[in-house]
């Protein structure tokens, strides 16, 4: 740096002019960035202000066209703006009618469903809701040559949930046809029986959109959503805030609250993304948020100590697990897998890392899902038995393996590293020496999805409340693929495959129960996983917030939310 | 002077070219597939493949780069994979927020740093000087995200004095002219909005400005000490000029030269701090989008943000150099 001395070249006036020119230039740049007349609006308000429910979450939505997104943050907003034909009863995964007037009975052995629709319902743009609207939406989703089978530009998910839940598009789709029988009756004909069909229909992605809004501008629909829901879309500052307002004409206002009706009570709903977890909790404590999602178990005591705040936990619809790669030695030996599950002190781990926000898992899916096998006990913590099993397997001296853990908290795994370390300690006791490995989250999924690991931590949150959505996705041979595998244990059992296939293609309740109970038994015996916990994700609220019914699906409707005094 | 500026502007071209090469290939070296991340766990391999094709990710990287460079030369940085909007539009949209925060942080740094630095130099070895050193050292060593959270806990949660997060409270709206809340509120005569905007600006500006404040304090102090030892200061004293007049009229003006350089450099560096500050305060500026686009492997956005940061840094340096030349005539262009 030059030595400081001699100032002669610049008067104070000139100096100020320079600074002024810089500012003016910057201001011009700002103008260039946006059209005139736009406004900058804030996202949060004092929790005490009546009529505005401000919900803090970890990330912004990706898009607001429900069929074209896959992330929970997009879907929970869509949930408020759109209604589907069916819905899940608050706090459960039981079905209740929504835009349909009742839950239809299967006809022709489950190949045909006839939905009678609610009459007099209007979309937010004033269009009438009727059978044509339902047909229009399903044809848009299903047919790849439909002129509206697009939208949302490059952030679009390409209707991933439609093909995911209904087996593909066009002729691959389980749904063969959707016809309007009369103005308020729609008939679905299926190519084959799909047991979870009605639960799929109830999922948030299948919210019915206004045909007029789609026809007018399908490309922009993802940021101008129009549905029939309890709240209307107002504005979206991408990266920060989504604003909705009350739909006073909502069809569900007079329904009982237990059936998902009532309200909407608050005038406005504001979704605010605050990526930093600690900052989000601070904003809640400071009264800037009415409620906040994405808390960790560590945040729970902080919130409980605050007299103005309360914690509500979601019923679990997830499972966190340790998967052993059964394609690799020595995990191809069932005795080794059993040794691992008996070596880990799971109750202690769940107590330490989940506290009151989780229960020790026994089956591959949680008790909120039908046909849960109550008799399955979590594997007993028994290091002596583990050592014995290892000796039987000829590994009395122990062995070495890699244990992968995810780098970020997930709803079903609040502290991947801590849990992995606790497992490492337990496994060392019986002579299994594990090396801990992690990768950035995107990479983690990619690498575990092609079987790079010996053991890995992972979990799953269900979509539709059906056992098929857990067992078939996570433990069938179909998903033990070479890349992008969901079955990261690479567990392939022909008997289980047969059972799952059968159970997915029958609508006989008793038969399904028998099959799924047997499936859980098989998995427990074969031990491809050490199930860890069913997490009950915590939410934090101001005490003044009433009527929030946490949903196992993570996508609750805010129609019943009230803010008192 | 004009040729000097012209030459300096030409030098920016190879710099930005180099930056573009590095960021383009580094970004693609990060493991994780944007298509997979975008589609989430539910997507089938076929869907991922189709999206990769749409996004042009199946071309070989060199071809991708040539296409990128060709478009970039016409001012087109591509479209964000996540939002689908042109990267330049995203950047320009968010630039005012970052600029406002950065300027406020700098204002804080200068308004506090220079007087304190002067005071410390004038009262060298006094308790004020010692205290200043300790505070400055603490300021430099403090992680921004931690300081930010401490400030939030004290001023928002405990004392309930300042609002957080974001740029405005929800009832408040401001007509957008420059995109910066405070100037826009003044221009539209919206004084409620102005007050709300300023209150929202205080904490992030202090969090972001603390390190530059500490640097400016120390720099001012040492520059002042150096100048205060010069002959002409002694002469001024000898002529009977009042001590404070000596400090402000004679010493400070000359000591400002290196301080201006430091302020300029800090201004350029603030971009890095803004990533953390904006994330914590949900400040919808470029810093926030930087982190988000890395999480989502939004290649075009990451490239845009890095190129923007590099240009900003280079431009600020250029302005500092010009200013320096103007301040000190002995500097040759």
């Amino acid at each position: 740096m030059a030595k400081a001395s001699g100032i002669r070249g610049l008067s104070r006036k000139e100096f100020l002019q320079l600074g002024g020119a810089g500012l003016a230039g910057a201001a011009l740049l700002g103008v260039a960035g946006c059209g005139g007349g736009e406004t900058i609006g804030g996202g949060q308000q004092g929790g005490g202000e009546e009529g505005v429910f401000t919900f803090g979450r970890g990330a912004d939505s990706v898009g607001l066209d429900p069929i074209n997104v896959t992330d929970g943050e997009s879907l929970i907003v869509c949930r408020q703006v759109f209604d589907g034909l069916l819905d899940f009863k608050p706090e459960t995964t039981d079905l209740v009618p929504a835009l349909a007037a009742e839950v239809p009975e299967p006809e022709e052995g489950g190949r045909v469903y006839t939905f009678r629709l609610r009459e007099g319902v209007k979309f937010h743009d004033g269009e009438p809701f009727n059978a044509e609207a339902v047909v229009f939406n399903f044809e848009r989703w299903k047919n790849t040559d439909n002129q509206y089978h697009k939208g949302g530009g490059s952030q679009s998910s390409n209707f991933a949930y439609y093909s995911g839940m209904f087996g593909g598009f066009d002729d691959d789709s389980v749904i063969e046809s959707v016809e309007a029988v009369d103005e308020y009756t729609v008939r679905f004909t299926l190519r084959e029986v799909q047991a979870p069909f009605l639960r799929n229909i109830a999922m948030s992605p299948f919210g019915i959109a206004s045909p007029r809004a789609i026809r007018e501008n399908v490309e922009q629909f993802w940021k101008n959503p129009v549905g029939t829901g309890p709240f209307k879309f107002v504005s979206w500052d991408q990266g920060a805030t989504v604003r909705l307002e009350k739909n006073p004409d909502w069809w569900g206002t007079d329904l009982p609250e237990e059936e998902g009706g009532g309200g909407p009570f608050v005038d406005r709903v504001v979704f605010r993304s605050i990526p930093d977890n600690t900052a989000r909790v601070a904003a809640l404590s400071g009264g800037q948020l009415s409620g906040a999602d994405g808390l960790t178990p560590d945040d729970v005591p902080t919130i409980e100590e605050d007299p103005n705040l309360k914690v509500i936990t979601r019923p679990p619809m997830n499972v966190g697990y340790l998967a052993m790669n059964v394609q690799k030695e020595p995990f191809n030996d069932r005795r080794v897998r059993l040794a691992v599950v008996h070596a880990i002190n799971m109750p202690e781990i769940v107590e330490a890392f989940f506290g009151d926000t989780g229960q020790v898992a026994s089956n591959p899916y949680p008790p909120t899902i039908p046909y849960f096998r109550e008799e399955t006990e979590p594997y007993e913590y028994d290091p002596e038995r583990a050592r014995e099993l290892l000796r039987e397997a000829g590994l009395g001296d122990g062995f070495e393996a890699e244990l992968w853990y995810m780098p970020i908290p997930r709803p079903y795994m609040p502290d991947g590293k801590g849990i992995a370390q606790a497992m490492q300690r337990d496994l060392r006791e019986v002579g299994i020496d594990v090396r801990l490995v992690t990768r950035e989250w995107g990479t983690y999924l990619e690498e575990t999805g092609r079987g790079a690991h010996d053991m890995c931590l992972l979990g799953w949150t269900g979509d539709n409340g059906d056992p098929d959505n857990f067992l078939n996705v996570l433990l069938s041979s179909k998903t033990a693929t070479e890349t992008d595998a969901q079955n990261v244990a690479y567990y392939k059992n022909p008997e289980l495959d047969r059972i799952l296939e059968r159970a997915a293609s029958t609508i006989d309740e008793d038969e399904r129960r028998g099959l799924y109970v047997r499936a859980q038994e098989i998995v427990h015996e074969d031990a491809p996983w050490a199930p860890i916990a069913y997490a009950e994700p915590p939410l934090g609220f101001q005490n003044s917030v009433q009527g929030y019914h946490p949903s196992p699906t993570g996508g609750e409707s805010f129609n019943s939310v009230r803010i008192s005094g | 002077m004009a040729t000097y500026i012209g030459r300096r502007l030409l030098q920016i071209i190879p710099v930005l070219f180099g930056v573009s090469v590095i960021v383009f290939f580094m970004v693609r070296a990060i493991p994780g597939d944007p298509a997979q991340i975008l589609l989430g766990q539910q997507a089938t391999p076929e869907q991922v493949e189709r999206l990769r094709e749409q996004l042009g990710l199946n071309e070989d990287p060199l071809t991708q780069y040539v296409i990128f460079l060709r478009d970039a030369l016409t001012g087109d940085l591509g479209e964000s994979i996540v939002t689908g909007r042109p990267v330049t539009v995203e950047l320009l949209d968010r630039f005012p927020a970052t600029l406002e925060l950065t300027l406020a942080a700098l204002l804080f740094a200068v308004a506090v740093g220079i007087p304190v630095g002067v005071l410390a130099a004038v009262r060298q070895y006094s308790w004020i000087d010692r205290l200043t050193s300790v505070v400055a050292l603490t300021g430099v060593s403090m992680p921004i995200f931690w300081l930010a959270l401490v400030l939030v806990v004290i001023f928002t949660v405990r004392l309930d004095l300042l609002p957080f997060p974001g740029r405005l409270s929800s009832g408040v709206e401001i007509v957008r002219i420059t995109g910066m809340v405070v100037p826009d509120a003044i221009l539209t005569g919206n004084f409620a909005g102005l007050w709300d905007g300023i209150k929202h600006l205080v904490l992030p500006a202090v969090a972001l400005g603390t390190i530059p404040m500490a640097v400016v304090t120390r720099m001012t102090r040492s520059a002042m000490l150096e100048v205060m030892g010069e002959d002409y200061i002694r002469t001024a004293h000898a002529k009977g000029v009042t001590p404070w007049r000596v400090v402000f009229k004679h010493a400070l003006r000359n000591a400002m030269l290196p301080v201006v350089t430091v302020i300029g450099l800090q201004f350029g560096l603030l971009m890095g701090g803004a990533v953390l500050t904006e994330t914590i305060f949900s400040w919808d500026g470029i810093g926030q989008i930087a982190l988000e686009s890395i999480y989502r492997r939004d290649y075009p956005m990451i490239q845009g943000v890095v190129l923007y940061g590099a240009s900003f840094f280079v431009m600020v340096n250029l302005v500092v150099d010009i200013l320096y030349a103007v301040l000190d005539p002995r500097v040759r262009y």
Side-chain angles (χ1 to χ4, degrees):
Chain A
M1 187 158 303
K3 197 180 162 200
S5 64
I7 174 162
R8 274 176 294 269
L10 189 74
S11 74
R12 185 184 304 158
K13 192 174 154 210
E14 283 167 323
F15 190 92
L16 284 176
Q17 277 168 344
L18 254 178
L23 262 181
L28 275 176
L29 271 173
V31 174
C34 59
E38 284 181 66
T39 54
I40 310 167
Q44 89 286 6
Q45 45 66 237
E49 190 186 324
E50 272 190 38
V52 183
F53 179 70
T54 310
F55 193 65
R57 60 216 185 119
D60 193 22
S61 301
V62 172
L64 299 178
D65 183 358
I67 193 64
N68 241 339
V69 294
T70 54
D71 62 307
E73 301 302 0
S74 296
L75 287 171
I76 195 169
V77 177
C78 295
R79 183 74 185 70
Q80 318 306 324
V81 178
F82 296 88
D83 297 303
L85 294 174
L86 301 176
D87 198 355
F88 297 113
K89 194 173 160 181
E91 308 200 19
T92 72
T93 56
D94 301 341
L95 292 171
V96 287
L99 287 175
E102 68 213 356
V103 179
E105 291 297 324
E107 299 157 46
E108 296 184 27
R111 296 278 302 278
V112 174
Y113 290 88
T114 308
F115 287 80
R116 214 161 48 72
L117 305 181
R118 257 178 232 285
E119 300 183 15
V121 176
K122 283 203 180 334
F123 288 100
H124 299 155
D125 59 1
E127 282 290 286
F129 164 78
N130 52 28
E132 286 305 330
V134 176
V135 173
F136 178 89
N137 275 274
F138 274 90
E139 285 185 344
R140 172 185 180 223
W141 303 336
K142 173 177 169 242
N143 300 330
T144 48
D145 59 356
N146 185 292
Q147 58 173 315
Y148 304 113
H149 187 82
K150 61 178 175 184
S154 51
Q155 77 297 323
S156 143
S157 80
N158 290 313
F159 301 79
Y161 261 118
Y162 184 87
S163 63
M165 306 320 289
F166 297 117
F169 300 115
D170 302 320
D171 292 344
D172 295 333
S173 172
V174 166
I175 300 176
E176 190 179 319
S177 69
V178 184
E179 303 151 282
V181 178
D182 59 42
E183 198 179 355
Y184 293 109
T185 311
V186 181
R187 181 184 300 131
F188 286 71
T189 308
L190 308 191
R191 285 206 166 78
E192 59 200 63
V193 174
Q194 186 188 38
F197 176 72
L198 291 177
R199 287 183 191 283
N200 288 346
I201 290 287
M203 287 169 57
S204 303
F206 308 114
I208 304 293
S210 158
R212 184 171 86 187
I214 300 251
R215 280 197 193 100
E216 274 174 4
N217 199 343
V218 67
E219 302 285 354
Q220 296 298 311
F221 187 77
W222 66 285
K223 43 183 186 178
N224 297 291
V226 182
T228 58
F231 295 95
K232 297 182 197 180
F233 173 75
V234 176
S235 66
W236 180 20
D237 297 338
Q238 277 182 277
T241 316
V242 182
R243 285 185 205 80
L244 311 177
E245 66 180 16
K246 179 194 245 179
N247 171 14
D249 304 322
W250 189 49
W251 55 266
T253 304
D254 299 329
L255 282 181
E257 213 170 293
E258 313 83 71
E259 308 276 314
F265 298 108
V266 293
D267 296 325
R268 282 188 289 159
V269 171
V270 177
F271 287 90
R272 223 195 126 99
S273 49
I274 306 177
D276 187 89
N277 193 51
T278 319
R280 196 163 54 255
V281 175
L284 180 69
S285 311
Q288 318 286 322
L289 298 174
S290 320
D293 198 355
L295 307 184
T296 70
D298 292 345
D299 301 323
V300 169
T302 319
I303 294 172
E304 278 175 343
E305 278 165 23
D306 191 324
N308 299 318
L309 303 180
K310 62 182 172 189
V311 173
I312 295 179
T313 55
R314 281 208 175 101
M317 192 156 98
N318 58 59
V319 60
Y321 55 87
L322 171 75
M324 290 168 259
N325 188 338
V326 303
Q327 302 292 321
K328 283 192 178 176
E329 283 188 359
F331 298 106
N332 52 355
D333 188 331
R334 179 172 161 267
R335 289 167 299 190
V336 174
R337 301 198 294 271
L338 282 172
V340 169
V341 299
H342 285 297
I344 296 171
N345 189 345
M346 213 59 93
E348 193 186 285
I349 288 177
V350 173
E351 171 64 33
F353 292 96
F354 292 83
D356 292 337
T357 65
Q359 36 178 303
V360 180
S362 49
N363 285 318
Y365 67 78
T368 48
I369 310 279
Y371 324 128
F372 180 79
R373 185 173 182 267
E374 302 282 351
E375 300 78 38
T376 316
E377 290 287 328
Y379 296 109
E380 202 184 339
Y381 172 56
D382 188 347
E384 202 33 64
R385 177 135 175 246
R387 284 191 204 97
E388 205 179 289
L389 282 159
L390 284 178
R391 272 194 298 276
E392 277 175 34
L395 290 165
D397 298 332
F399 63 94
E400 290 176 11
E402 280 187 356
L403 196 170
W404 287 47
Y405 65 90
M406 62 280 280
I408 49 165
R410 305 296 301 158
Y412 46 74
M413 198 81 67
D415 179 3
K417 186 175 186 183
I419 291 169
Q421 284 171 336
M423 290 179 168
Q424 183 184 42
R425 180 202 60 203
D426 289 348
L427 290 170
R428 193 181 294 131
E429 285 295 305
V430 301
I432 304 174
D433 198 6
V434 249
R435 203 165 70 81
L436 299 186
V437 179
T438 192
R439 295 281 186 275
E440 187 279 332
W441 179 233
T443 319
Y444 186 85
L445 287 178
E446 199 173 303
E447 298 272 304
T448 53
R450 57 174 195 81
H453 58 285
D454 300 325
M455 297 189 266
C456 71
L457 297 181
L458 213 60
W460 179 255
T461 302
D463 290 305
N464 58 1
D466 195 276
D468 183 67
N469 184 245
F470 279 82
L471 291 169
N472 204 7
V473 174
L474 303 173
L475 287 161
S476 73
S477 305
K478 272 198 290 204
T479 58
T481 44
E482 255 172 57
T483 57
D484 304 318
Q486 299 277 21
N487 178 351
V488 292
Y490 295 88
Y491 173 68
K492 295 180 190 170
N493 181 333
E495 190 194 347
L496 182 70
D497 287 344
R498 243 186 351 261
I499 290 176
L500 295 180
E501 221 159 283
R502 176 74 199 134
S505 56
T506 175
I507 49 162
D508 186 303
E509 291 271 326
D510 290 335
E511 190 185 359
R512 291 194 85 202
R513 171 169 294 109
L515 290 165
Y516 282 122
V517 165
R518 176 70 193 128
Q520 292 169 76
E521 221 169 27
I522 293 174
V523 173
H524 192 74
E525 282 162 14
D526 266 357
W529 289 2
I532 301 171
Y534 310 125
E536 300 173 4
L539 299 140
F541 291 93
Q542 303 290 339
N543 278 334
S544 56
V545 175
Q546 304 294 329
Y548 194 97
H549 298 293
S551 164
T553 66
E556 43 277 302
S557 172
F558 295 171
N559 65 290
S560 56
V561 172
R562 291 176 292 272
I563 296 175
S564 60
Chain B
M1 185 70 165
T3 33
Y4 172 72
I5 295 177
R7 209 168 58 227
R8 283 295 308 266
L9 282 173
L10 283 179
Q11 282 170 5
I12 292 177
I13 294 170
V15 170
L16 289 185
F17 178 73
V19 168
S20 78
V21 172
I22 293 169
V23 67
F24 191 90
F25 292 100
M26 287 256 282
V27 159
R28 278 158 184 77
I30 315 174
D33 176 0
Q36 178 71 56
I37 292 171
L38 203 61
L39 295 181
Q41 285 186 13
Q42 294 294 341
T44 63
E46 297 77 50
Q47 286 166 335
V48 174
E49 191 48 37
R50 197 162 49 194
L51 187 60
R52 285 184 59 81
E53 190 61 43
Q54 274 175 20
L55 296 174
L57 296 170
N58 284 338
E59 304 282 340
D60 76 287
L62 203 63
T63 315
Q64 287 184 46
Y65 180 72
V66 171
I67 295 171
F68 164 74
L69 195 65
R70 195 192 57 204
D71 292 348
L73 287 176
T74 66
D76 174 8
L77 292 175
E79 281 166 8
S80 160
I81 290 178
V82 176
T83 67
R85 300 168 71 204
V87 170
T88 43
V89 171
E90 290 280 0
L91 288 177
L92 283 172
D93 235 21
R94 284 161 170 262
F95 177 69
T98 300
L99 185 70
E100 182 170 37
L101 174 59
T102 315
L103 287 175
L106 205 64
L107 183 71
F108 166 74
V110 171
V112 177
I114 291 182
V116 172
V118 169
L119 200 65
V122 174
R123 300 262 183 270
Q124 199 185 1
Y125 306 129
S126 70
W127 64 269
I128 277 203
D129 184 26
R130 282 171 224 272
L131 183 69
T132 306
S133 301
V134 172
V135 172
L137 190 65
T138 319
V140 178
S141 349
M142 191 118 62
I144 292 187
F145 68 92
W146 187 77
L147 175 66
L149 286 172
V150 169
L151 288 172
V152 165
V153 168
I154 295 176
F155 292 99
T156 303
V157 180
R158 294 272 169 252
L159 301 178
D160 199 14
L161 281 177
L162 291 167
F164 153 90
R167 297 171 70 195
L168 282 172
S169 302
S170 75
V172 184
E173 293 210 335
I174 284 179
V175 177
R176 189 178 168 131
I177 298 167
T178 66
M180 290 186 281
V181 168
V182 171
D184 287 353
I186 296 173
L187 288 172
T188 55
N190 180 349
F191 294 105
L194 177 64
W195 181 231
D196 192 60
I198 290 175
K199 282 200 294 188
H200 276 85
L201 193 51
V202 173
L203 290 183
V206 170
L208 183 57
T210 296
I211 290 176
M213 184 268 284
V215 173
V216 169
T217 306
R218 289 173 70 94
M219 197 63 220
T220 308
R221 178 181 177 273
S222 58
M224 278 298 285
L225 284 175
E226 200 175 332
V227 172
M228 299 281 281
E230 295 284 332
D231 289 345
Y232 65 87
I233 298 291
R234 241 172 291 159
T235 312
H237 278 298
K239 286 198 305 189
V241 180
T242 59
W244 283 111
R245 198 174 157 76
V246 172
V247 168
F248 286 108
K249 181 87 182 159
H250 296 90
L252 182 58
R253 285 180 66 167
N254 292 320
M256 277 330 285
L257 205 50
V259 176
V260 165
T261 311
V262 163
I263 292 172
L265 283 174
Q266 289 297 321
F267 191 37
L269 289 174
L270 280 175
M271 187 67 205
V275 173
L276 293 171
T277 317
E278 289 186 359
T279 303
I280 288 177
F281 288 95
S282 302
W283 199 265
D284 50 348
I286 288 174
Q288 196 187 40
I289 213 179
L291 199 70
E292 219 168 278
S293 46
I294 291 170
Y295 276 143
R296 292 193 168 157
R297 301 289 188 279
D298 191 344
Y299 294 166
M301 236 12 253
I302 303 175
Q303 285 153 208
V305 168
V306 173
L307 280 175
Y308 155 81
S311 327
F312 191 72
F313 194 78
V314 174
M315 289 306 286
V316 167
N317 267 327
L318 174 64
V319 172
V320 168
D321 284 353
I322 293 169
L323 211 59
Y324 209 83
V326 174
L327 284 170
D328 187 350
R330 291 171 309 170
V331 175
R332 290 284 156 261
Y333 309 135

